[in-house]
Amino acid sequence: MPADPENASPLRRQVLVAARRRCEDMQDGPDAREAMRREVMETPAGLLPDLLTALSTVRIDRTALFFRSAIPTERTNP
């Protein structure tokens, strides 16, 4: 198993990109990003397709968790 992402297989590099995007979506800090990279590099090759699917299919931006109205509401007196 490669320890260096530069020498990783094409599939593992795809998973690393998906993991980086997920970290960006969740606004993870440097420690969490490094932990994600390390875990991807330690994942057995046979599990990489499933990990890629998991990281790629349901992506959510942290800001999407909060409802914000883009249109100001008018207040009227009855």
Side-chain angles (χ1 to χ4, degrees):
M1 168 175 40
D4 180 16
E6 296 291 321
N7 298 323
S9 70
L11 176 58
R12 193 173 302 272
R13 286 193 303 265
Q14 281 185 290
V15 175
L16 286 166
V17 169
R20 185 180 68 234
R21 287 182 183 149
R22 178 60 60 93
C23 288
E24 289 169 3
D25 290 346
M26 299 309 294
Q27 299 175 356
D28 288 340
D31 292 340
R33 290 170 189 255
E34 177 56 26
M36 178 74 91
R37 186 203 62 80
R38 189 173 46 253
E39 289 171 9
V40 168
M41 294 305 294
E42 294 172 357
T43 300
L47 297 178
L48 289 175
D50 290 336
L51 183 55
L52 180 59
T53 299
L55 289 171
S56 301
T57 52
V58 181
R59 290 183 54 205
I60 186 167
D61 186 337
R62 182 178 273 180
T63 59
L65 300 174
F66 303 99
F67 176 75
R68 293 184 193 173
S69 175
I71 302 170
T73 58
E74 276 188 37
R75 293 186 181 211
T76 58
N77 290 330

